Amino acid sequence: REDAPEGVVDTIAEAAFLSRVQQGDMVICRTNAPLVGPAFELIRRGIKAIIVGRDIGKGLTGLLRKIEKRYHTSSLSDTLRALNDYTMREVVKLTAADKGTQAQSLQDQCDTLVALAEGCQSIEEIERKIESVFDDEVKGIAFSSIHCAKGLEAERVFLLHPELLPHPMAKRAWEQAQERNIQYVAYTRAKEELYFVTPEEKR
């Protein structure tokens, strides 16, 4: 609008990101997996953080239990190996069937569970982590996939892994169009400051 404040659009390194983010900020990403590490790092520092999407958490738990039951795994490491094998096979099949969006979603679920498994000794531990961090009630710093961020805004927004826009699995014309819509959502969540968070070498 004509009387809008100047605002800020900038690029910062991953190393500086965690020291800059503060209560009331929003952290978004094209996929969920990259949100897990930073969210738990802030929690370890005593800073409140949640990942938006209670239904996402339920879906992750459901996939984990499905793999455990289907492959009769007896340990967390066995379950994660089975999950990885299952995901690779299904992603190939979904991609061949022109179901790129479903392939993206499944790969992201797998990557998110692997990220959540860090430091865990059992499936029950992962489930407790999921329950503790995935929520729809924003408390402290909100981490969110771009999909879940629709309708949400914050004064300051940090976009993790901007190179995932457009998503590399989006090949067909309609998928590319969908990615442009997602990119628009990402770029319009910030009221005042938008930061692209990238590895140091990509700055």
Side-chain angles (χ1 to χ4, degrees):
R1 65 184 193 274
E2 290 183 9
D3 60 342
E6 185 68 22
V8 173
V9 177
D10 202 0
T11 300
I12 64 171
E14 281 181 329
F17 156 62
L18 286 175
S19 63
R20 296 277 296 276
V21 70
Q22 60 191 25
Q23 299 291 326
D25 289 345
M26 184 188 300
V27 182
I28 60 175
C29 187
R30 175 64 182 80
T31 56
N32 284 293
L35 302 172
V36 173
F40 277 101
E41 177 58 32
L42 291 175
I43 291 169
R44 280 191 289 270
R45 297 181 186 187
I47 299 169
K48 286 184 180 179
I50 62 110
I51 300 176
V52 176
R54 186 170 288 159
D55 287 344
I56 294 171
K58 289 179 181 177
L60 292 171
T61 299
L63 176 59
L64 203 57
R65 288 298 182 182
K66 173 183 173 180
I67 296 298
E68 184 185 36
K69 185 176 181 180
R70 176 178 290 189
Y71 296 100
H72 308 289
T73 55
S74 57
S75 68
L76 177 58
S77 59
D78 287 345
T79 303
L80 292 176
R81 274 194 294 273
L83 171 65
N84 188 56
D85 292 344
Y86 168 82
T87 300
M88 285 194 297
R89 288 195 304 272
E90 289 300 308
V91 164
V92 169
K93 286 193 284 188
L94 289 167
T95 303
D98 289 329
K99 296 180 178 178
T101 301
Q102 292 178 32
Q104 290 174 29
S105 178
L106 178 59
Q107 186 63 62
D108 186 32
Q109 281 187 307
C110 176
D111 294 343
T112 302
L113 284 168
V114 170
L116 285 161
E118 185 178 351
C120 292
Q121 303 300 317
S122 67
I123 289 175
E124 289 74 20
E125 269 192 82
I126 298 179
E127 290 179 339
R128 287 195 293 272
K129 285 178 79 171
I130 291 170
E131 191 173 340
S132 71
V133 77
F134 283 90
D135 204 339
D136 289 323
E137 182 183 340
V138 175
K139 299 172 290 226
I141 299 168
F143 286 74
S144 176
S145 69
I146 297 168
H147 279 292
C148 288
K150 290 178 182 177
L152 301 177
E153 289 181 319
E155 301 298 322
R156 300 200 315 165
V157 173
F158 294 82
L159 175 61
L160 302 185
H161 292 278
E163 74 277 5
L164 291 176
L165 291 169
H167 195 284
M169 282 189 182
K171 304 295 184 185
R172 300 171 70 81
W174 68 268
E175 292 172 337
Q176 290 285 339
Q178 188 177 55
E179 290 298 307
R180 287 192 292 274
N181 293 337
I182 292 169
Q183 189 171 39
Y184 173 80
V185 171
Y187 291 178
T188 55
R189 296 310 89 200
K191 293 181 181 180
E192 292 187 4
E193 301 176 28
L194 173 63
Y195 295 96
F196 294 87
V197 182
T198 60
E200 191 70 39
E201 63 270 17
K202 292 187 178 182
R203 294 188 71 204

PDB file of all heavy atoms in Angstrom, residues 169-201:
ATOM      1  N   MET A 169      11.148 -31.678  -6.709  1.00  0.00           N
ATOM      2  CA  MET A 169      10.334 -32.779  -7.229  1.00  0.00           C
ATOM      3  C   MET A 169       9.182 -32.287  -8.113  1.00  0.00           C
ATOM      4  O   MET A 169       8.509 -33.088  -8.747  1.00  0.00           O
ATOM      5  CB  MET A 169       9.758 -33.618  -6.081  1.00  0.00           C
ATOM      6  CG  MET A 169      10.722 -34.575  -5.445  1.00  0.00           C
ATOM      7  SD  MET A 169       9.864 -35.675  -4.287  1.00  0.00           S
ATOM      8  CE  MET A 169      11.233 -36.633  -3.656  1.00  0.00           C
ATOM      9  N   ALA A 170       8.948 -30.989  -8.135  1.00  0.00           N
ATOM     10  CA  ALA A 170       7.850 -30.439  -8.932  1.00  0.00           C
ATOM     11  C   ALA A 170       8.305 -30.313 -10.388  1.00  0.00           C
ATOM     12  O   ALA A 170       9.075 -29.419 -10.721  1.00  0.00           O
ATOM     13  CB  ALA A 170       7.423 -29.086  -8.379  1.00  0.00           C
ATOM     14  N   LYS A 171       7.836 -31.216 -11.239  1.00  0.00           N
ATOM     15  CA  LYS A 171       8.296 -31.267 -12.636  1.00  0.00           C
ATOM     16  C   LYS A 171       7.228 -30.827 -13.633  1.00  0.00           C
ATOM     17  O   LYS A 171       7.528 -30.166 -14.618  1.00  0.00           O
ATOM     18  CB  LYS A 171       8.724 -32.699 -12.988  1.00  0.00           C
ATOM     19  CG  LYS A 171       9.790 -33.283 -12.064  1.00  0.00           C
ATOM     20  CD  LYS A 171      11.101 -32.533 -12.163  1.00  0.00           C
ATOM     21  CE  LYS A 171      12.182 -33.201 -11.308  1.00  0.00           C
ATOM     22  NZ  LYS A 171      13.424 -32.415 -11.296  1.00  0.00           N
ATOM     23  N   ARG A 172       5.986 -31.185 -13.389  1.00  0.00           N
ATOM     24  CA  ARG A 172       4.918 -30.898 -14.344  1.00  0.00           C
ATOM     25  C   ARG A 172       4.480 -29.433 -14.244  1.00  0.00           C
ATOM     26  O   ARG A 172       4.715 -28.778 -13.226  1.00  0.00           O
ATOM     27  CB  ARG A 172       3.744 -31.846 -14.120  1.00  0.00           C
ATOM     28  CG  ARG A 172       4.145 -33.311 -14.303  1.00  0.00           C
ATOM     29  CD  ARG A 172       3.046 -34.253 -13.879  1.00  0.00           C
ATOM     30  NE  ARG A 172       1.916 -34.198 -14.798  1.00  0.00           N
ATOM     31  CZ  ARG A 172       1.861 -34.847 -15.952  1.00  0.00           C
ATOM     32  NH1 ARG A 172       2.888 -35.593 -16.340  1.00  0.00           N
ATOM     33  NH2 ARG A 172       0.805 -34.755 -16.731  1.00  0.00           N
ATOM     34  N   ALA A 173       3.841 -28.962 -15.301  1.00  0.00           N
ATOM     35  CA  ALA A 173       3.455 -27.548 -15.360  1.00  0.00           C
ATOM     36  C   ALA A 173       2.545 -27.154 -14.202  1.00  0.00           C
ATOM     37  O   ALA A 173       2.739 -26.092 -13.585  1.00  0.00           O
ATOM     38  CB  ALA A 173       2.768 -27.256 -16.692  1.00  0.00           C
ATOM     39  N   TRP A 174       1.572 -28.012 -13.871  1.00  0.00           N
ATOM     40  CA  TRP A 174       0.650 -27.654 -12.792  1.00  0.00           C
ATOM     41  C   TRP A 174       1.351 -27.679 -11.429  1.00  0.00           C
ATOM     42  O   TRP A 174       1.007 -26.912 -10.533  1.00  0.00           O
ATOM     43  CB  TRP A 174      -0.581 -28.570 -12.794  1.00  0.00           C
ATOM     44  CG  TRP A 174      -0.321 -30.009 -12.417  1.00  0.00           C
ATOM     45  CD1 TRP A 174      -0.037 -31.046 -13.248  1.00  0.00           C
ATOM     46  CD2 TRP A 174      -0.327 -30.561 -11.089  1.00  0.00           C
ATOM     47  NE1 TRP A 174       0.148 -32.209 -12.537  1.00  0.00           N
ATOM     48  CE2 TRP A 174      -0.028 -31.938 -11.206  1.00  0.00           C
ATOM     49  CE3 TRP A 174      -0.551 -30.022  -9.822  1.00  0.00           C
ATOM     50  CZ2 TRP A 174       0.040 -32.788 -10.110  1.00  0.00           C
ATOM     51  CZ3 TRP A 174      -0.484 -30.868  -8.722  1.00  0.00           C
ATOM     52  CH2 TRP A 174      -0.188 -32.234  -8.876  1.00  0.00           C
ATOM     53  N   GLU A 175       2.353 -28.562 -11.291  1.00  0.00           N
ATOM     54  CA  GLU A 175       3.122 -28.593 -10.052  1.00  0.00           C
ATOM     55  C   GLU A 175       3.970 -27.332  -9.917  1.00  0.00           C
ATOM     56  O   GLU A 175       4.088 -26.765  -8.819  1.00  0.00           O
ATOM     57  CB  GLU A 175       4.014 -29.841 -10.014  1.00  0.00           C
ATOM     58  CG  GLU A 175       3.239 -31.141  -9.889  1.00  0.00           C
ATOM     59  CD  GLU A 175       4.114 -32.366 -10.042  1.00  0.00           C
ATOM     60  OE1 GLU A 175       5.196 -32.268 -10.663  1.00  0.00           O
ATOM     61  OE2 GLU A 175       3.728 -33.435  -9.531  1.00  0.00           O
ATOM     62  N   GLN A 176       4.549 -26.889 -11.034  1.00  0.00           N
ATOM     63  CA  GLN A 176       5.336 -25.654 -11.019  1.00  0.00           C
ATOM     64  C   GLN A 176       4.451 -24.452 -10.682  1.00  0.00           C
ATOM     65  O   GLN A 176       4.858 -23.563  -9.932  1.00  0.00           O
ATOM     66  CB  GLN A 176       5.997 -25.439 -12.382  1.00  0.00           C
ATOM     67  CG  GLN A 176       7.118 -26.423 -12.689  1.00  0.00           C
ATOM     68  CD  GLN A 176       8.395 -26.111 -11.925  1.00  0.00           C
ATOM     69  OE1 GLN A 176       8.599 -24.990 -11.474  1.00  0.00           O
ATOM     70  NE2 GLN A 176       9.264 -27.098 -11.764  1.00  0.00           N
ATOM     71  N   ALA A 177       3.233 -24.454 -11.214  1.00  0.00           N
ATOM     72  CA  ALA A 177       2.297 -23.370 -10.894  1.00  0.00           C
ATOM     73  C   ALA A 177       1.953 -23.380  -9.411  1.00  0.00           C
ATOM     74  O   ALA A 177       1.883 -22.325  -8.761  1.00  0.00           O
ATOM     75  CB  ALA A 177       1.028 -23.514 -11.734  1.00  0.00           C
ATOM     76  N   GLN A 178       1.757 -24.576  -8.862  1.00  0.00           N
ATOM     77  CA  GLN A 178       1.466 -24.707  -7.435  1.00  0.00           C
ATOM     78  C   GLN A 178       2.637 -24.199  -6.595  1.00  0.00           C
ATOM     79  O   GLN A 178       2.442 -23.540  -5.568  1.00  0.00           O
ATOM     80  CB  GLN A 178       1.178 -26.180  -7.106  1.00  0.00           C
ATOM     81  CG  GLN A 178       0.670 -26.429  -5.695  1.00  0.00           C
ATOM     82  CD  GLN A 178       0.346 -27.888  -5.478  1.00  0.00           C
ATOM     83  OE1 GLN A 178       1.183 -28.769  -5.679  1.00  0.00           O
ATOM     84  NE2 GLN A 178      -0.881 -28.164  -5.052  1.00  0.00           N
ATOM     85  N   GLU A 179       3.841 -24.477  -7.051  1.00  0.00           N
ATOM     86  CA  GLU A 179       5.035 -24.015  -6.342  1.00  0.00           C
ATOM     87  C   GLU A 179       5.127 -22.492  -6.333  1.00  0.00           C
ATOM     88  O   GLU A 179       5.558 -21.888  -5.352  1.00  0.00           O
ATOM     89  CB  GLU A 179       6.295 -24.621  -6.956  1.00  0.00           C
ATOM     90  CG  GLU A 179       6.455 -26.114  -6.714  1.00  0.00           C
ATOM     91  CD  GLU A 179       6.565 -26.458  -5.242  1.00  0.00           C
ATOM     92  OE1 GLU A 179       7.416 -25.875  -4.541  1.00  0.00           O
ATOM     93  OE2 GLU A 179       5.786 -27.319  -4.788  1.00  0.00           O
ATOM     94  N   ARG A 180       4.725 -21.854  -7.446  1.00  0.00           N
ATOM     95  CA  ARG A 180       4.734 -20.389  -7.481  1.00  0.00           C
ATOM     96  C   ARG A 180       3.734 -19.813  -6.469  1.00  0.00           C
ATOM     97  O   ARG A 180       4.004 -18.792  -5.833  1.00  0.00           O
ATOM     98  CB  ARG A 180       4.421 -19.892  -8.900  1.00  0.00           C
ATOM     99  CG  ARG A 180       5.576 -20.099  -9.874  1.00  0.00           C
ATOM    100  CD  ARG A 180       5.368 -19.351 -11.176  1.00  0.00           C
ATOM    101  NE  ARG A 180       4.259 -19.898 -11.952  1.00  0.00           N
ATOM    102  CZ  ARG A 180       4.373 -20.911 -12.808  1.00  0.00           C
ATOM    103  NH1 ARG A 180       5.546 -21.498 -12.996  1.00  0.00           N
ATOM    104  NH2 ARG A 180       3.323 -21.332 -13.486  1.00  0.00           N
ATOM    105  N   ASN A 181       2.595 -20.499  -6.327  1.00  0.00           N
ATOM    106  CA  ASN A 181       1.619 -20.067  -5.320  1.00  0.00           C
ATOM    107  C   ASN A 181       2.188 -20.210  -3.907  1.00  0.00           C
ATOM    108  O   ASN A 181       2.005 -19.338  -3.052  1.00  0.00           O
ATOM    109  CB  ASN A 181       0.333 -20.890  -5.436  1.00  0.00           C
ATOM    110  CG  ASN A 181      -0.426 -20.625  -6.722  1.00  0.00           C
ATOM    111  OD1 ASN A 181      -0.260 -19.562  -7.324  1.00  0.00           O
ATOM    112  ND2 ASN A 181      -1.224 -21.582  -7.153  1.00  0.00           N
ATOM    113  N   ILE A 182       2.895 -21.311  -3.660  1.00  0.00           N
ATOM    114  CA  ILE A 182       3.499 -21.551  -2.347  1.00  0.00           C
ATOM    115  C   ILE A 182       4.571 -20.495  -2.076  1.00  0.00           C
ATOM    116  O   ILE A 182       4.699 -19.980  -0.959  1.00  0.00           O
ATOM    117  CB  ILE A 182       4.101 -22.976  -2.287  1.00  0.00           C
ATOM    118  CG1 ILE A 182       2.966 -24.023  -2.323  1.00  0.00           C
ATOM    119  CG2 ILE A 182       4.955 -23.167  -1.036  1.00  0.00           C
ATOM    120  CD1 ILE A 182       3.446 -25.438  -2.531  1.00  0.00           C
ATOM    121  N   GLN A 183       5.335 -20.157  -3.113  1.00  0.00           N
ATOM    122  CA  GLN A 183       6.366 -19.132  -2.973  1.00  0.00           C
ATOM    123  C   GLN A 183       5.736 -17.786  -2.609  1.00  0.00           C
ATOM    124  O   GLN A 183       6.253 -17.055  -1.758  1.00  0.00           O
ATOM    125  CB  GLN A 183       7.152 -19.013  -4.272  1.00  0.00           C
ATOM    126  CG  GLN A 183       8.387 -18.146  -4.184  1.00  0.00           C
ATOM    127  CD  GLN A 183       9.223 -18.250  -5.442  1.00  0.00           C
ATOM    128  OE1 GLN A 183       8.698 -18.314  -6.555  1.00  0.00           O
ATOM    129  NE2 GLN A 183      10.539 -18.288  -5.273  1.00  0.00           N
ATOM    130  N   TYR A 184       4.614 -17.476  -3.230  1.00  0.00           N
ATOM    131  CA  TYR A 184       3.909 -16.228  -2.918  1.00  0.00           C
ATOM    132  C   TYR A 184       3.484 -16.206  -1.450  1.00  0.00           C
ATOM    133  O   TYR A 184       3.649 -15.193  -0.757  1.00  0.00           O
ATOM    134  CB  TYR A 184       2.678 -16.069  -3.822  1.00  0.00           C
ATOM    135  CG  TYR A 184       1.815 -14.887  -3.453  1.00  0.00           C
ATOM    136  CD1 TYR A 184       2.161 -13.597  -3.850  1.00  0.00           C
ATOM    137  CD2 TYR A 184       0.666 -15.058  -2.675  1.00  0.00           C
ATOM    138  CE1 TYR A 184       1.390 -12.510  -3.499  1.00  0.00           C
ATOM    139  CE2 TYR A 184      -0.116 -13.969  -2.313  1.00  0.00           C
ATOM    140  CZ  TYR A 184       0.244 -12.704  -2.735  1.00  0.00           C
ATOM    141  OH  TYR A 184      -0.513 -11.630  -2.370  1.00  0.00           O
ATOM    142  N   VAL A 185       2.957 -17.326  -0.965  1.00  0.00           N
ATOM    143  CA  VAL A 185       2.561 -17.415   0.442  1.00  0.00           C
ATOM    144  C   VAL A 185       3.771 -17.159   1.344  1.00  0.00           C
ATOM    145  O   VAL A 185       3.706 -16.393   2.314  1.00  0.00           O
ATOM    146  CB  VAL A 185       1.935 -18.796   0.761  1.00  0.00           C
ATOM    147  CG1 VAL A 185       1.726 -18.971   2.271  1.00  0.00           C
ATOM    148  CG2 VAL A 185       0.600 -18.961   0.043  1.00  0.00           C
ATOM    149  N   ALA A 186       4.898 -17.785   1.004  1.00  0.00           N
ATOM    150  CA  ALA A 186       6.111 -17.637   1.816  1.00  0.00           C
ATOM    151  C   ALA A 186       6.553 -16.184   1.900  1.00  0.00           C
ATOM    152  O   ALA A 186       6.909 -15.683   2.973  1.00  0.00           O
ATOM    153  CB  ALA A 186       7.229 -18.492   1.243  1.00  0.00           C
ATOM    154  N   TYR A 187       6.525 -15.496   0.774  1.00  0.00           N
ATOM    155  CA  TYR A 187       7.049 -14.131   0.723  1.00  0.00           C
ATOM    156  C   TYR A 187       6.109 -13.099   1.333  1.00  0.00           C
ATOM    157  O   TYR A 187       6.509 -11.950   1.534  1.00  0.00           O
ATOM    158  CB  TYR A 187       7.333 -13.741  -0.725  1.00  0.00           C
ATOM    159  CG  TYR A 187       8.494 -14.473  -1.364  1.00  0.00           C
ATOM    160  CD1 TYR A 187       8.829 -14.245  -2.690  1.00  0.00           C
ATOM    161  CD2 TYR A 187       9.254 -15.401  -0.648  1.00  0.00           C
ATOM    162  CE1 TYR A 187       9.891 -14.912  -3.292  1.00  0.00           C
ATOM    163  CE2 TYR A 187      10.303 -16.070  -1.243  1.00  0.00           C
ATOM    164  CZ  TYR A 187      10.622 -15.827  -2.559  1.00  0.00           C
ATOM    165  OH  TYR A 187      11.662 -16.485  -3.145  1.00  0.00           O
ATOM    166  N   THR A 188       4.871 -13.493   1.625  1.00  0.00           N
ATOM    167  CA  THR A 188       3.893 -12.513   2.123  1.00  0.00           C
ATOM    168  C   THR A 188       3.468 -12.771   3.566  1.00  0.00           C
ATOM    169  O   THR A 188       2.459 -12.222   4.011  1.00  0.00           O
ATOM    170  CB  THR A 188       2.648 -12.494   1.215  1.00  0.00           C
ATOM    171  OG1 THR A 188       2.106 -13.820   1.113  1.00  0.00           O
ATOM    172  CG2 THR A 188       2.996 -11.988  -0.170  1.00  0.00           C
ATOM    173  N   ARG A 189       4.221 -13.568   4.304  1.00  0.00           N
ATOM    174  CA  ARG A 189       3.874 -13.811   5.720  1.00  0.00           C
ATOM    175  C   ARG A 189       4.436 -12.725   6.631  1.00  0.00           C
ATOM    176  O   ARG A 189       3.985 -12.565   7.771  1.00  0.00           O
ATOM    177  CB  ARG A 189       4.412 -15.167   6.196  1.00  0.00           C
ATOM    178  CG  ARG A 189       3.850 -16.412   5.517  1.00  0.00           C
ATOM    179  CD  ARG A 189       2.341 -16.453   5.469  1.00  0.00           C
ATOM    180  NE  ARG A 189       1.853 -15.788   4.264  1.00  0.00           N
ATOM    181  CZ  ARG A 189       0.613 -15.332   4.105  1.00  0.00           C
ATOM    182  NH1 ARG A 189      -0.256 -15.430   5.081  1.00  0.00           N
ATOM    183  NH2 ARG A 189       0.259 -14.746   2.983  1.00  0.00           N
ATOM    184  N   ALA A 190       5.450 -12.000   6.190  1.00  0.00           N
ATOM    185  CA  ALA A 190       6.126 -11.015   7.046  1.00  0.00           C
ATOM    186  C   ALA A 190       5.449  -9.653   6.952  1.00  0.00           C
ATOM    187  O   ALA A 190       5.201  -9.145   5.853  1.00  0.00           O
ATOM    188  CB  ALA A 190       7.590 -10.890   6.652  1.00  0.00           C
ATOM    189  N   LYS A 191       5.192  -9.051   8.102  1.00  0.00           N
ATOM    190  CA  LYS A 191       4.630  -7.702   8.133  1.00  0.00           C
ATOM    191  C   LYS A 191       5.723  -6.645   7.990  1.00  0.00           C
ATOM    192  O   LYS A 191       5.499  -5.589   7.403  1.00  0.00           O
ATOM    193  CB  LYS A 191       3.883  -7.477   9.450  1.00  0.00           C
ATOM    194  CG  LYS A 191       2.634  -8.313   9.618  1.00  0.00           C
ATOM    195  CD  LYS A 191       1.971  -7.981  10.955  1.00  0.00           C
ATOM    196  CE  LYS A 191       0.726  -8.804  11.176  1.00  0.00           C
ATOM    197  NZ  LYS A 191       0.084  -8.488  12.481  1.00  0.00           N
ATOM    198  N   GLU A 192       6.900  -6.916   8.546  1.00  0.00           N
ATOM    199  CA  GLU A 192       7.962  -5.909   8.535  1.00  0.00           C
ATOM    200  C   GLU A 192       9.302  -6.429   8.026  1.00  0.00           C
ATOM    201  O   GLU A 192       9.982  -5.747   7.279  1.00  0.00           O
ATOM    202  CB  GLU A 192       8.157  -5.327   9.945  1.00  0.00           C
ATOM    203  CG  GLU A 192       6.978  -4.493  10.428  1.00  0.00           C
ATOM    204  CD  GLU A 192       7.261  -3.796  11.739  1.00  0.00           C
ATOM    205  OE1 GLU A 192       8.405  -3.904  12.239  1.00  0.00           O
ATOM    206  OE2 GLU A 192       6.348  -3.152  12.275  1.00  0.00           O
ATOM    207  N   GLU A 193       9.707  -7.641   8.460  1.00  0.00           N
ATOM    208  CA  GLU A 193      11.046  -8.115   8.118  1.00  0.00           C
ATOM    209  C   GLU A 193      10.989  -9.555   7.618  1.00  0.00           C
ATOM    210  O   GLU A 193      10.380 -10.412   8.253  1.00  0.00           O
ATOM    211  CB  GLU A 193      11.971  -8.044   9.351  1.00  0.00           C
ATOM    212  CG  GLU A 193      12.114  -6.640   9.924  1.00  0.00           C
ATOM    213  CD  GLU A 193      12.945  -6.625  11.198  1.00  0.00           C
ATOM    214  OE1 GLU A 193      13.821  -7.502  11.361  1.00  0.00           O
ATOM    215  OE2 GLU A 193      12.713  -5.741  12.035  1.00  0.00           O
ATOM    216  N   LEU A 194      11.635  -9.796   6.480  1.00  0.00           N
ATOM    217  CA  LEU A 194      11.725 -11.136   5.903  1.00  0.00           C
ATOM    218  C   LEU A 194      13.194 -11.475   5.704  1.00  0.00           C
ATOM    219  O   LEU A 194      13.934 -10.729   5.060  1.00  0.00           O
ATOM    220  CB  LEU A 194      10.991 -11.200   4.558  1.00  0.00           C
ATOM    221  CG  LEU A 194      11.131 -12.501   3.758  1.00  0.00           C
ATOM    222  CD1 LEU A 194      10.535 -13.684   4.522  1.00  0.00           C
ATOM    223  CD2 LEU A 194      10.460 -12.361   2.385  1.00  0.00           C
ATOM    224  N   TYR A 195      13.605 -12.617   6.277  1.00  0.00           N
ATOM    225  CA  TYR A 195      15.002 -13.037   6.182  1.00  0.00           C
ATOM    226  C   TYR A 195      15.091 -14.390   5.484  1.00  0.00           C
ATOM    227  O   TYR A 195      14.410 -15.341   5.870  1.00  0.00           O
ATOM    228  CB  TYR A 195      15.633 -13.140   7.575  1.00  0.00           C
ATOM    229  CG  TYR A 195      15.726 -11.807   8.284  1.00  0.00           C
ATOM    230  CD1 TYR A 195      14.737 -11.420   9.193  1.00  0.00           C
ATOM    231  CD2 TYR A 195      16.777 -10.942   8.040  1.00  0.00           C
ATOM    232  CE1 TYR A 195      14.804 -10.193   9.842  1.00  0.00           C
ATOM    233  CE2 TYR A 195      16.852  -9.715   8.678  1.00  0.00           C
ATOM    234  CZ  TYR A 195      15.862  -9.346   9.581  1.00  0.00           C
ATOM    235  OH  TYR A 195      15.935  -8.124  10.212  1.00  0.00           O
ATOM    236  N   PHE A 196      15.947 -14.465   4.465  1.00  0.00           N
ATOM    237  CA  PHE A 196      16.237 -15.725   3.797  1.00  0.00           C
ATOM    238  C   PHE A 196      17.451 -16.344   4.509  1.00  0.00           C
ATOM    239  O   PHE A 196      18.520 -15.734   4.534  1.00  0.00           O
ATOM    240  CB  PHE A 196      16.548 -15.489   2.320  1.00  0.00           C
ATOM    241  CG  PHE A 196      15.376 -14.970   1.537  1.00  0.00           C
ATOM    242  CD1 PHE A 196      15.112 -13.608   1.464  1.00  0.00           C
ATOM    243  CD2 PHE A 196      14.527 -15.852   0.878  1.00  0.00           C
ATOM    244  CE1 PHE A 196      14.036 -13.120   0.748  1.00  0.00           C
ATOM    245  CE2 PHE A 196      13.436 -15.374   0.153  1.00  0.00           C
ATOM    246  CZ  PHE A 196      13.184 -14.015   0.094  1.00  0.00           C
ATOM    247  N   VAL A 197      17.264 -17.519   5.082  1.00  0.00           N
ATOM    248  CA  VAL A 197      18.319 -18.153   5.865  1.00  0.00           C
ATOM    249  C   VAL A 197      19.013 -19.178   4.981  1.00  0.00           C
ATOM    250  O   VAL A 197      18.412 -20.157   4.556  1.00  0.00           O
ATOM    251  CB  VAL A 197      17.752 -18.830   7.123  1.00  0.00           C
ATOM    252  CG1 VAL A 197      18.881 -19.438   7.953  1.00  0.00           C
ATOM    253  CG2 VAL A 197      16.937 -17.829   7.952  1.00  0.00           C
ATOM    254  N   THR A 198      20.294 -18.951   4.702  1.00  0.00           N
ATOM    255  CA  THR A 198      21.036 -19.826   3.795  1.00  0.00           C
ATOM    256  C   THR A 198      22.379 -20.209   4.407  1.00  0.00           C
ATOM    257  O   THR A 198      22.925 -19.519   5.250  1.00  0.00           O
ATOM    258  CB  THR A 198      21.298 -19.114   2.456  1.00  0.00           C
ATOM    259  OG1 THR A 198      22.070 -17.927   2.683  1.00  0.00           O
ATOM    260  CG2 THR A 198      20.001 -18.739   1.770  1.00  0.00           C
ATOM    261  N   PRO A 199      22.942 -21.344   3.950  1.00  0.00           N
ATOM    262  CA  PRO A 199      24.300 -21.698   4.375  1.00  0.00           C
ATOM    263  C   PRO A 199      25.273 -20.594   3.992  1.00  0.00           C
ATOM    264  O   PRO A 199      25.080 -19.900   2.993  1.00  0.00           O
ATOM    265  CB  PRO A 199      24.582 -22.985   3.605  1.00  0.00           C
ATOM    266  CG  PRO A 199      23.229 -23.557   3.291  1.00  0.00           C
ATOM    267  CD  PRO A 199      22.334 -22.363   3.087  1.00  0.00           C
ATOM    268  N   GLU A 200      26.337 -20.454   4.762  1.00  0.00           N
ATOM    269  CA  GLU A 200      27.298 -19.378   4.566  1.00  0.00           C
ATOM    270  C   GLU A 200      27.814 -19.296   3.138  1.00  0.00           C
ATOM    271  O   GLU A 200      27.938 -18.232   2.554  1.00  0.00           O
ATOM    272  CB  GLU A 200      28.478 -19.565   5.531  1.00  0.00           C
ATOM    273  CG  GLU A 200      29.420 -18.385   5.607  1.00  0.00           C
ATOM    274  CD  GLU A 200      28.784 -17.173   6.300  1.00  0.00           C
ATOM    275  OE1 GLU A 200      28.057 -17.359   7.287  1.00  0.00           O
ATOM    276  OE2 GLU A 200      29.014 -16.055   5.819  1.00  0.00           O
ATOM    277  N   GLU A 201      28.093 -20.476   2.545  1.00  0.00           N
ATOM    278  CA  GLU A 201      28.692 -20.477   1.198  1.00  0.00           C
ATOM    279  C   GLU A 201      27.713 -20.035   0.121  1.00  0.00           C
ATOM    280  O   GLU A 201      28.118 -19.702  -0.983  1.00  0.00           O
ATOM    281  CB  GLU A 201      29.226 -21.866   0.855  1.00  0.00           C
ATOM    282  CG  GLU A 201      28.163 -22.961   0.775  1.00  0.00           C
ATOM    283  CD  GLU A 201      27.930 -23.648   2.111  1.00  0.00           C
ATOM    284  OE1 GLU A 201      28.338 -23.076   3.158  1.00  0.00           O
ATOM    285  OE2 GLU A 201      27.348 -24.737   2.130  1.00  0.00           O
TER     286      GLU A 201
END
